């Protein structure tokens, strides 16, 4: 969508969500933002207000299904939401010692259920909109939904099994829903970044090829959304590497992937 005016972003208190919020902020823009850390979220809200945007920043955990449904319905009632970015997510790995069960469940709860708690009420709201403009002419555009996946979605890495699985679920769901919602004029896009500097990657002690800053990454995502790209995947060499790894037989890639450094396990 070229010119979204009402934009809802989950996980806007840091990293990619923050960069997206600040990039979209401007006169005439209404931003509905959520995150869990009140101070960081409020600081992002202030940066967006300084650029002229109206901001409703709320401390909401995306795993809280009822709170998410209530927030999205309230935002929609105020101004129809043009663009929803289901961005909130966490990452942790095995640290080479296997993932704890609680960590696996937490990653799935936030990265998969949290995305569903965002996307499903958004679809419901967009579906319910009149398929005609106020002047009675048919409209082909009812809204846009972006799901934050990752290049880690194409192949399970031994260093981060639950994270890869959660992002694969999001990618597959988003790609399917793009076709499912096309006839309603709801655009669905899957975002697949490589390494981006953020609170998620700051704990990585291993080399991160083609690491990007969050601001240029946000601009790439915005351009992709304006062009309604099915997959917004970058950097391109990393995308093709991910596709190659996914396309090769497992017996060929398993020994290599076993040797890669393992992402650290979550502290809590
Ligand atoms: N950085 C990368 O290299 C990379 C690559 C591919 C994909 N991604 C994806 O990009 C998304 C953003 O991550 P990031 O890299 O920008 O990391 P980040 O700086 O840690 O940002 C994650 C955001 O998600 C929010 N969040 C986490 N759990 C939440 C919950 N239960 N409820 C509400 N908000 C929650 C965090 O808010 P609080 O801190 O306030 O809880 C924060 O605003 C994630 O989905 C991640 O998987 C990142």
């Amino acid at each position: 969508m070229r010119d979204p005016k009402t934009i809802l972003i989950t996980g806007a208190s840091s990293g990619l969500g923050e960069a997206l919020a600040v990039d979209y902020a401007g006169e005439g823009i209404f931003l509905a933002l959520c995150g869990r850390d009140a101070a960081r979220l409020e600081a992002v809200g202030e940066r967006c207000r300084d650029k002229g945007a109206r901001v409703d920043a709320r401390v909401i955990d995306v795993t809280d299904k009822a709170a998410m449904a209530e927030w999205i319905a309230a935002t929609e009632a105020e101004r129809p939401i043009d663009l929803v970015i289901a961005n909130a997510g966490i990452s942790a790995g095995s640290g080479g010692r296997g993932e704890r069960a609680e960590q696996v469940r937490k990653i799935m709860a936030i990265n998969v259920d949290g995305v569903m708690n965002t996307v499903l009420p958004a679809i419901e709201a967009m579906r319910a909109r009149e398929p005609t403009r106020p002047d009675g002419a048919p409209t082909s555009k009812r809204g846009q939904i972006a799901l934050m996946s990752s290049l880690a979605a194409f192949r399970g890495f031994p260093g981060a099994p639950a994270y890869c699985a959660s992002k694969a679920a999001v990618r597959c769901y988003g790609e399917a829903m793009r076709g499912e919602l096309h006839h309603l004029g709801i655009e669905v896009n899957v975002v697949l970044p490589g390494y981006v500097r953020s609170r998620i990657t700051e704990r990585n002690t291993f080399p991160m090829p083609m690491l990007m800053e969050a601001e240029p990454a946000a601009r790439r995502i915005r351009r992709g959304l304006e062009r309604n790209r099915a997959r917004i995947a970058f950097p391109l060499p990393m995308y093709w590497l991910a596709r190659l790894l996914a396309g090769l037989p497992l017996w060929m890639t398993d020994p290599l992937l076993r040797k890669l450094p393992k992402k650290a396990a979550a502290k809590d």
Side-chain angles (χ1 to χ4, degrees):
M1 182 178 290
R2 289 236 162 258
D3 206 11
K5 298 278 187 230
T6 304
I7 303 156
L8 182 142
I9 305 173
T10 66
S13 58
S14 66
L16 279 166
E18 171 177 9
L20 282 161
V22 172
D23 198 64
Y24 276 111
E27 294 293 337
I29 302 293
F30 176 42
L31 292 168
L33 309 176
C34 91
R36 292 172 303 181
D37 186 296
R40 276 194 279 110
L41 184 66
E42 195 40 45
V44 175
E46 272 312 299
R47 287 181 69 196
C48 297
R49 286 185 195 102
D50 287 346
K51 289 184 73 187
R54 196 155 70 78
V55 179
D56 173 25
R58 296 197 192 186
V59 173
I60 303 177
D61 191 316
V62 291
T63 62
D64 186 339
K65 182 177 156 199
M68 288 296 291
E70 191 272 323
W71 175 50
I72 291 167
T75 308
E76 173 76 11
E78 196 176 333
R79 255 168 76 157
I81 307 169
D82 296 315
L83 170 62
V84 169
I85 307 181
N87 164 74
I90 59 166
S91 171
S94 64
R97 293 184 300 277
E99 281 188 289
R100 283 177 299 118
E102 310 88 82
Q103 175 178 300
V104 173
R105 291 185 192 286
K106 193 171 172 189
I107 288 175
M108 293 298 174
I110 295 174
N111 294 9
V112 181
D113 290 348
V115 167
M116 296 306 150
N117 290 342
T118 311
V119 167
L120 295 176
I123 293 172
E124 197 182 305
M126 288 178 188
R127 258 185 206 278
R129 287 184 200 158
E130 284 299 315
T132 50
R133 294 201 309 248
D135 63 4
T139 174
S140 58
K141 298 270 181 286
R142 281 203 236 193
Q144 183 169 29
I145 298 172
L147 294 88
M148 188 61 72
S149 178
S150 161
L151 289 184
F154 289 104
R155 170 72 158 91
F157 288 86
Y163 182 73
C164 294
S166 71
K167 293 298 175 182
V170 167
R171 175 177 73 79
C172 210
Y173 182 75
E175 289 177 356
M177 290 307 281
R178 181 177 171 89
E180 162 70 11
L181 297 174
H182 176 78
H183 71 288
L184 291 176
I186 301 174
E187 297 172 340
V188 181
N189 316 83
V190 177
V191 184
L192 302 138
Y195 290 113
V196 177
R197 199 184 304 279
S198 73
R199 293 169 65 83
I200 275 186
T201 47
E202 74 182 7
R203 290 178 57 228
N204 293 350
T205 49
F206 48 83
M208 292 179 273
M210 306 194 75
L211 176 69
M212 286 181 80
E213 298 301 323
E215 292 75 18
R219 288 196 293 275
R220 290 285 286 267
I221 294 168
R222 185 174 176 173
R223 268 203 311 279
L225 293 176
E226 284 169 0
R227 291 170 193 166
N228 188 25
R229 296 267 190 255
R231 281 183 185 167
I232 304 168
F234 57 90
L236 268 189
M238 294 293 280
Y239 176 49
W240 289 114
L241 183 64
R243 297 286 307 275
L244 176 70
L245 273 177
L248 289 170
L250 298 195
W251 62 262
M252 211 181 258
T253 52
D254 269 352
L256 168 74
L257 297 191
R258 276 200 298 268
K259 289 199 189 83
L260 289 181
K262 313 279 187 286
K263 190 173 172 82
K267 287 197 191 104
D268 52 354

